[in-house]
Amino acid sequence: MLPRESSSKEVDASLLGIISFPAFAVDDPDLIDLTRKTIQEKLQGSYGCCRFLRDGYKTVLEDASRQHYEPGELAVFENIECEWPLFFAYFTLDGIFSGKKEQTQEYMETLEELMVKTDDVLPLVPELYRVPKHKVELEKKNPGSQKREPIGQIPHKWSQSLYIVSKLLIEGFLSPGEIDPLNRRLNSEPRPDVVVQVVILAESVLIQNKLAEHDILVETIQDVSPIQVYPAKALSQLYSYLGKNKKLGLTGRPSNEVGLLATSKLYMMDDQLFAFMPQYVDQNKFYLPLDTDFFLDTFKTNTDFLCSNWTMLGRPTMIFPAISSMLDPKENLHPALIATIKKLQTGYISGTRVQMGNMSDFKTTSCITNLDFIRDPEDHNQGVGVHQVINLIDGTLSPTCPRPHLQTHSKKGRQRRASGRSASVSGMVKRTRSIQINPGEAAEIRSIVQARLDRSGTGQARYMAFQYSRSTSRMSSRSSSQHSTVSEHEEIEAGYSSGGSCPVSPNSSGSSGDFHLSHLKPGSAADQSISPFESPSTSPHIHRKPPGMSQSESDFNTADFRDLIETLEKTESLHEQADILHCLFINKGLDWDTEIGGKKGCTVRDLLVELYEKAGHWKQWWLVRHTAGMLRKRVEDLALAAADLLVRQKQLSVGLPPEPREKIITRPLPPDELASIIFDAYGEDVSTATLTQEILIYLAMFIRTEPKLFNEMLRLRVGLIIQVMASELARTLKCTGDEASDHLLNLSPFEMKTLLHHILSGKEFLIHNETETEDEYRLSVRACEQLKNEGENFANRLSRSYKVIHTDSIPLDLGHTLEEDSAEEETEEKQGQWLRRRRLDGSLNRTPVGFYKGVWKVLQRCPELYIEGHSLNQALTREMTPGELKFALQVEMVLNRIPQPEYRQLNVEALMIIALMVENDQNNKLRLPHTIHVDHLVREANALFLEDQHMPANVAKTLEGAAKICLHFYDSAPSGRFGTLSYLCRALAKSLHLPMGNDDSLECVLS
């Protein structure tokens, strides 16, 4: 957040009181130095510091009769802001507390020179110094050249008191400890390492014995008695009694999530010890802990967090539960779990000191807090006994798994041909998805497949082309209004893969005509024959209708729903169960009694909970996410994650552009309100709404640990980030956009986080197939170097077509070696790397360093900039300074009107060219036009590129990408003679009628 003070100020001198005396609120020495240096460079003058840039307070040009400034008026105060000696006193104190004697002496001497001497020779500190009226113009022309006059209160009591305290400290009459008794000044000093105590508790004797086989001896939850161990939500319930008083009408602390610091303490009441598991291990709240890899990764992150932020007496104690979800189907422990525990036994994990032991070993070294704040709400003077507390906790814990009503034979379930009404709902879950990829990328994939076919003619390439055309035809038939009956083979093949982990594009045809479209509103994606590669700017928004308001309900009668319930009761397929329950959810709502098995009391919600837990057990992440969305599950740290991003002055948006489908979030919100905005933004696509919550959690994790990933990014558009993740999978796996969305939604939380990190960091990644069986396909995202070190080859990047070639009996041509395939793929990657880079940067809203300041300087010289019909006016420079966040957001607002990310980036490059031209025109020789159309420059540069390539018009037409710009131009490097910047320079020179060579070219070197 620092050194920027707010969205309307680049920096404020008052931050001196935050980084130093009296608050000492910052513990990062580098951030303290950066904030101090920024204040000195931008605000410091000879008479003190101005409060902030363009501060008109008490200047001679200020109209004191008005309580506000007019838009654009702030520019008249530039370079004549009043300077306050007060801040020199703060610099003096900062030097004293930081031990910088030179700084202390320099500012004290300067402050004493500025003091006003009275008749009794008492030095007094004036409130501020201002520029006299007759010297305003001279000061504006040459800042700092004119003598100022003291005005305001003399003495200024605030400044005078700080001066006196500084003198007492310098002369030894006071010590720093007397002014700062809490020793907050030591926050930035290195502290001894905190040792995190880790207690591993096995959920059952089975897991305890499994760990013992690896020489890991742990206790079960029952073994630690008499210490009582409960989940974090029990502690949250206890804290709800804090301050609760019925007589005074006080409701107490809201029963919200509790943080890691709270659960890392032991709690005592009447000699009874209570311990609580961390919030992130609660599988009932959200599904992230179901992924063992993510669980272990979060554990490592949290140990580092405790080491960095623990300031209480005693050591933090973290409970590490070994739970049944860490067992594979063969009841073997996850290898990563064993490796993590072995690291814990060494005393270090990810650079953090840890000590592993039993709960009883840490009684004397842990931080223990009393629960004496729990009082009887009826009589606040009456305490609550330990047995009452235990009963209260037990009352908050209830079984989460309902009585089984859904059959399951195995992970994949038995596939059978659907009939009747069950056939009409087949593929219903899949049709709700709104993740699309860019149409230009679809053309890329087609060209890659065709190039392979033309080059090799191998069965492998023919198979890839066959797979692509088949999936594309299925997608087009899915959105067509004319549906024909398909063969049994096609119907079965159109469903999900037999393993269920990676569904293929389903064919939605069935015996019930157009019913499969009736669960969407008229005008929805299915009705308008949306291509799987359609740009999000033209994709219609899908809205989920409230229960009881569905159009499809008119197509059903009571008998039809009973038919679906009967099918649901008999089927063993997770996919068929999901489709039927989704239909019931849409038409009847969560609380409708299904009367499954002929008994009342089993609602749609109960069945969804059962399906959610079953999907979590089998790690079917696409189904976990979808059922979590239908149940409106909210990740526990959602509001905190959004706040972590927002306080670092990043805006958030959810949903796909344009507005109002894309919801902008600019301030912290309550968790339920934030979750409601997310679900409303995606309408019926509850899978992507749930995934959005995940992405927000991961973004918050990254911005805490790696803030540099977010440099030059002002708005994090989660919808576009999800879109680009699907695009990257489509590019890597050479599959359709629909299949890429299936792959994306079926990634485990840890793999999803890894993929997001690679995209944010710009790292190359490969797709590794971890599946050993032929009936399941599971992907793993790995860094390129990691796979190379393990001896993997580029064949791991291809889609599952390699794996199932033998089952389709397509002959193989083994004339191509692996080395040749690798070389071909490497060439393809190089050919598309700049197009991909622009798409990534455009989707992430990433801009070059100094971009917004450059645009501000351009607007000082040019009255107006136009980008695709939207303007940036020169009036913005009179209202805002170059480094203000408000100005950057105004520029972003215009750029975000461009839906195609690669085209947006070309416009950013064009703006940078104009900014560089203005920056190097020191003597203002160039005469800029009244209006510069930035998008016209991009199109002119593209025309020059096509002219140099001698490309026929019909060929150029086939190579058109977003906004009808040539794909090869998108894929050109920015620098070099034939780079995009060179063509943009030529286009700009042509627009401004600058002198060019005889060949109508302009040699331009940019540094």
Side-chain angles (χ1 to χ4, degrees):
M1 183 174 180
L2 300 181
R4 181 181 284 152
E5 190 269 344
S6 68
S7 62
S8 61
K9 298 178 181 66
E10 293 187 33
V11 67
D12 195 305
S14 62
L15 294 178
L16 285 171
I18 303 298
I19 64 173
S20 186
F21 175 83
F24 300 106
V26 183
D27 57 7
D28 184 353
D30 294 333
L31 187 57
I32 293 173
D33 292 339
L34 175 62
T35 305
R36 184 191 299 114
K37 183 179 179 182
T38 303
I39 293 173
Q40 290 171 331
E41 291 178 350
K42 294 188 175 183
L43 303 180
Q44 182 173 316
S46 301
Y47 295 85
C49 296
C50 59
R51 297 186 302 177
F52 48 86
L53 297 177
R54 295 183 175 181
D55 178 17
Y57 177 69
K58 287 196 175 182
T59 60
V60 294
L61 300 183
E62 182 191 33
D63 183 359
S65 64
R66 288 189 286 115
Q67 296 183 353
H68 65 279
Y69 297 123
E70 297 295 338
E73 186 181 359
L74 292 177
V76 303
F77 306 124
E78 191 166 2
N79 295 329
I80 61 166
E81 303 94 337
C82 292
E83 295 179 357
W84 299 64
L86 165 71
F87 298 110
F88 281 177
Y90 271 114
F91 274 119
T92 303
L93 287 168
D94 177 55
I96 294 171
F97 283 103
S98 60
K100 299 178 180 178
K101 295 183 179 180
E102 292 182 1
Q103 176 181 323
T104 302
Q105 182 179 356
E106 175 188 351
Y107 283 100
M108 177 55 72
E109 291 176 355
T110 306
L111 180 60
E112 290 179 338
E113 291 175 1
L114 298 174
M115 299 179 76
V116 177
K117 305 296 190 299
T118 60
D119 295 337
D120 51 3
V121 199
L122 286 176
L124 304 177
V125 184
E127 181 179 0
L128 43 78
Y129 282 84
R130 75 175 179 187
V131 179
K133 189 171 184 178
H134 63 282
K135 295 183 178 180
V136 167
E137 294 303 324
L138 295 174
E139 180 71 12
K140 285 188 173 182
K141 290 180 180 179
N142 188 9
S145 62
Q146 303 304 307
K147 188 175 181 180
R148 296 177 178 238
E149 58 185 13
I151 62 168
Q153 299 178 10
I154 301 177
H156 184 236
K157 294 179 181 179
W158 186 0
S159 306
Q160 192 75 29
S161 62
L162 292 180
Y163 167 73
I164 294 172
V165 170
S166 300
K167 293 294 287 186
L168 290 173
L169 287 168
I170 291 173
E171 295 177 7
F173 292 102
L174 285 176
S175 66
E178 292 176 288
I179 303 297
D180 177 33
L182 296 180
N183 293 325
R184 291 186 61 84
R185 67 189 183 281
L186 303 179
N187 279 350
S188 59
E189 298 294 327
R191 290 176 292 181
D193 288 342
V194 174
V195 179
V196 180
Q197 300 173 158
V198 179
V199 178
I200 300 178
L201 295 181
E203 183 183 50
S204 63
V205 176
L206 171 65
I207 297 178
Q208 184 183 35
N209 294 334
K210 291 287 183 180
L211 290 171
E213 295 175 3
H214 297 273
D215 297 326
I216 301 172
L217 304 179
V218 299
E219 297 177 317
T220 63
I221 296 178
Q222 291 75 25
D223 292 338
V224 300
S225 181
I227 300 176
Q228 301 285 330
V229 180
Y230 293 101
K233 65 179 179 181
L235 180 60
S236 175
Q237 184 65 25
L238 291 180
Y239 268 117
S240 68
Y241 280 77
L242 184 62
K244 191 171 186 178
N245 190 308
K246 187 175 182 180
K247 291 182 179 180
L248 296 178
L250 302 177
T251 57
R253 179 184 183 271
S255 181
N256 294 329
E257 292 82 9
V258 292
L260 183 64
L261 296 177
T263 57
S264 297
K265 297 185 288 185
L266 300 183
Y267 293 83
M268 178 173 285
M269 187 173 191
D270 297 342
D271 297 327
Q272 173 66 58
L273 275 177
F274 297 90
F276 298 92
M277 300 182 196
Q279 182 77 52
Y280 72 89
V281 308
D282 189 353
Q283 298 181 354
N284 297 321
K285 293 283 286 185
F286 209 65
Y287 55 82
L288 294 180
L290 293 172
D291 181 17
T292 303
D293 288 318
F294 183 82
F295 180 97
L296 297 174
D297 185 65
T298 305
F299 168 75
K300 296 174 186 176
T301 302
N302 286 336
T303 55
D304 181 66
F305 173 83
L306 285 175
C307 181
S308 304
N309 295 277
W310 186 263
T311 58
M312 289 171 268
L313 294 177
R315 293 175 174 177
T317 302
M318 187 190 298
I319 295 178
F320 184 112
I323 49 183
S324 57
S325 62
M326 297 177 178
L327 297 173
D328 63 16
K330 297 180 182 179
E331 293 192 344
N332 295 322
L333 289 170
H334 197 290
L337 173 65
I338 303 300
T340 300
I341 297 178
K342 292 293 185 181
K343 288 182 181 178
L344 289 173
Q345 291 177 332
T346 66
Y348 282 91
I349 185 165
S350 299
T352 302
R353 287 186 62 190
V354 295
Q355 183 177 355
M356 182 177 152
N358 295 329
M359 185 68 75
S360 58
D361 300 335
F362 299 140
K363 282 185 180 180
T364 58
T365 56
S366 297
C367 176
I368 300 179
T369 299
N370 288 319
L371 290 174
D372 51 8
F373 60 81
I374 301 179
R375 318 296 294 177
D376 189 338
E378 301 291 338
D379 183 4
H380 195 65
N381 295 321
Q382 179 67 38
V384 176
V386 64
H387 296 293
Q388 291 173 283
V389 171
I390 294 176
N391 292 335
L392 173 66
I393 293 175
D394 290 339
T396 65
L397 306 178
S398 58
T400 58
C401 185
R403 181 173 60 86
H405 298 90
L406 303 178
Q407 295 189 27
T408 179
H409 176 70
S410 65
K411 173 159 54 173
K412 58 182 179 178
R414 187 172 62 235
Q415 296 289 329
R416 66 183 187 87
R417 184 178 178 183
S419 61
R421 279 301 186 187
S422 60
S424 67
V425 301
S426 178
M428 210 173 194
V429 169
K430 206 169 159 54
R431 290 194 296 272
T432 64
R433 297 176 185 169
S434 60
I435 302 176
Q436 306 291 338
I437 68 171
N438 194 290
E441 293 174 86
E444 246 187 289
I445 298 168
R446 283 194 294 269
S447 64
I448 290 173
V449 172
Q450 186 61 44
R452 289 193 168 216
L453 187 63
D454 294 341
R455 267 200 316 266
S456 62
T458 62
Q460 171 182 301
R462 288 197 299 274
Y463 182 78
M464 290 176 64
F466 165 73
Q467 285 285 85
Y468 181 85
S469 61
R470 184 175 65 176
S471 59
T472 305
S473 64
R474 279 204 294 258
M475 283 300 301
S476 61
S477 67
R478 188 179 79 183
S479 57
S480 173
S481 58
Q482 300 296 328
H483 304 282
S484 58
T485 305
V486 293
S487 67
E488 179 178 351
H489 170 73
E490 290 174 319
E491 183 176 345
I492 295 175
E493 189 178 54
Y496 293 87
S497 63
S498 60
S501 63
C502 183
V504 297
S505 304
N507 191 320
S508 55
S509 300
S511 59
S512 57
D514 290 339
F515 170 75
H516 72 285
L517 299 180
S518 60
H519 71 291
L520 301 181
K521 279 187 175 180
S524 66
D527 288 328
Q528 296 189 22
S529 303
I530 298 301
S531 163
F533 305 108
E534 188 162 1
S535 172
S537 63
T538 55
S539 306
H541 189 37
I542 304 175
H543 295 278
R544 183 172 61 83
K545 295 178 286 295
M549 298 293 291
S550 175
Q551 293 287 342
S552 62
E553 190 169 358
S554 61
D555 294 342
F556 278 104
N557 53 40
T558 304
D560 292 325
F561 283 117
R562 289 300 156 206
D563 181 49
L564 288 178
I565 296 297
E566 183 181 349
T567 304
L568 178 65
E569 191 176 5
K570 295 178 180 179
T571 183
E572 296 177 354
S573 169
L574 289 178
H575 314 97
E576 195 167 0
Q577 291 171 1
D579 288 333
I580 294 174
L581 284 176
H582 180 85
C583 177
L584 295 176
F585 165 73
I586 289 292
N587 290 282
K588 291 296 186 179
L590 289 172
D591 298 321
W592 184 65
D593 192 344
T594 61
E595 299 182 8
I596 191 170
K599 298 179 181 179
K600 294 185 177 182
C602 182
T603 64
V604 174
R605 186 191 306 274
D606 296 330
L607 295 177
L608 281 174
V609 170
E610 184 178 345
L611 184 60
Y612 167 79
E613 294 178 351
K614 190 188 301 184
H617 173 74
W618 293 115
K619 302 298 185 288
Q620 302 298 292
W621 297 112
W622 66 272
L623 184 54
V624 170
R625 290 183 173 101
H626 191 79
T627 51
M630 288 192 286
L631 290 168
R632 286 293 183 116
K633 284 187 174 289
R634 171 177 58 81
V635 65
E636 55 272 8
D637 292 330
L638 180 62
L640 178 61
D644 278 337
L645 296 165
L646 291 168
V647 298
R648 289 169 173 83
Q649 299 182 353
K650 309 292 182 186
Q651 289 192 342
L652 300 174
S653 74
V654 295
L656 289 173
E659 299 181 35
R661 293 187 304 170
E662 187 179 30
K663 309 292 184 182
I664 312 299
I665 302 168
T666 58
R667 60 183 177 86
L669 296 171
D672 291 334
E673 183 179 347
L674 182 58
S676 178
I677 289 174
I678 292 173
F679 279 102
D680 288 344
Y682 290 99
E684 193 178 53
D685 187 5
V686 293
S687 299
T688 309
T690 308
L691 179 58
T692 296
Q693 296 188 60
E694 265 191 72
I695 299 299
L696 286 174
I697 293 295
Y698 304 151
L699 290 173
M701 289 179 176
F702 295 146
I703 206 168
R704 294 186 203 114
T705 57
E706 301 179 69
K708 291 184 179 179
L709 290 177
F710 299 85
N711 286 350
E712 309 305 323
M713 293 166 58
L714 293 181
R715 178 177 292 176
L716 303 174
R717 308 173 78 181
V718 180
L720 283 183
I721 290 175
I722 293 174
Q723 184 186 38
V724 82
M725 292 170 76
S727 299
E728 285 296 283
L729 287 180
R731 176 190 64 85
T732 308
L733 294 173
K734 310 297 187 294
C735 63
T736 67
D738 192 56
E739 290 173 332
S741 69
D742 294 338
H743 289 311
L744 179 67
L745 288 170
N746 202 48
L747 287 178
S748 70
F750 181 73
E751 301 298 345
M752 190 75 71
K753 179 185 174 185
T754 304
L755 175 61
L756 177 62
H757 185 272
H758 286 323
I759 287 175
L760 289 175
S761 61
K763 292 180 180 178
E764 293 292 333
F765 64 92
L766 303 180
I767 300 299
H768 176 57
N769 183 6
E770 291 186 335
T771 309
E772 296 179 357
T773 60
E774 291 190 2
D775 62 351
E776 183 185 354
Y777 186 74
R778 193 174 301 282
L779 303 176
S780 175
V781 182
R782 314 281 287 278
C784 287
E785 296 79 4
Q786 191 175 0
L787 277 183
K788 288 178 181 178
N789 291 338
E790 294 176 1
E792 301 289 342
N793 54 60
F794 280 92
N796 288 324
R797 304 185 58 180
L798 299 181
S799 66
R800 59 180 173 166
S801 56
Y802 284 114
K803 185 172 186 176
V804 295
I805 281 175
H806 296 288
T807 62
D808 283 53
S809 302
I810 295 180
L812 295 176
D813 180 359
L814 300 179
H816 275 22
T817 64
L818 285 176
E819 290 78 7
E820 289 172 337
D821 288 338
S822 299
E824 291 171 4
E825 290 193 5
E826 189 172 354
T827 302
E828 290 166 3
E829 288 300 317
K830 288 182 178 179
Q831 288 176 350
Q833 64 179 351
W834 283 110
L835 172 58
R836 173 176 172 256
R837 183 73 263 165
R838 288 187 172 95
R839 281 180 181 151
L840 290 176
D841 288 342
S843 299
L844 297 173
N845 281 24
R846 185 173 279 142
T847 57
V849 176
F851 170 73
Y852 300 107
K853 292 182 180 179
V855 175
W856 189 91
K857 292 177 180 178
V858 171
L859 285 175
Q860 273 197 316
R861 298 274 304 276
C862 175
E864 203 164 25
L865 291 173
Y866 261 90
I867 305 174
E868 290 294 320
H870 302 279
S871 68
L872 290 169
N873 197 278
Q874 195 176 58
L876 293 174
T877 62
R878 295 191 291 271
E879 298 176 30
M880 309 168 193
T881 56
E884 278 189 31
L885 180 61
K886 282 172 58 179
F887 175 77
L889 291 175
Q890 288 290 328
V891 179
E892 278 290 299
M893 183 176 66
V894 172
L895 289 173
N896 287 343
R897 303 283 185 180
I898 304 174
Q900 305 95 337
E902 60 268 41
Y903 182 52
R904 177 191 190 275
Q905 283 308 104
L906 280 184
N907 280 272
V908 168
E909 291 177 28
L911 284 170
M912 281 300 297
I913 288 294
I914 302 172
L916 287 171
M917 179 192 68
V918 170
E919 182 181 345
N920 288 279
D921 183 28
Q922 302 289 345
N923 300 321
N924 295 339
K925 293 182 179 180
L926 288 175
R927 297 186 61 184
L928 298 182
H930 183 274
T931 302
I932 296 180
H933 291 267
V934 181
D935 51 319
H936 291 183
L937 291 179
V938 174
R939 298 181 191 282
E940 179 63 27
N942 179 66
L944 293 172
F945 173 81
L946 293 176
E947 183 180 333
D948 285 357
Q949 301 298 317
H950 304 291
M951 192 176 295
N954 59 335
V955 176
K957 186 71 176 177
T958 61
L959 292 174
E960 283 183 356
K964 297 186 178 181
I965 303 296
C966 180
L967 286 172
H968 291 320
F969 188 62
Y970 279 126
D971 198 31
S972 299
S975 59
R977 180 179 176 87
F978 298 101
T980 55
L981 295 183
S982 175
Y983 285 105
L984 287 169
C985 284
R986 290 170 56 186
L988 181 61
K990 189 174 181 180
S991 173
L992 299 180
H993 306 290
L994 298 180
M996 292 185 289
N998 296 329
D999 59 349
D1000 197 32
S1001 64
L1002 177 72
E1003 293 293 338
C1004 182
V1005 179
L1006 298 175
S1007 59

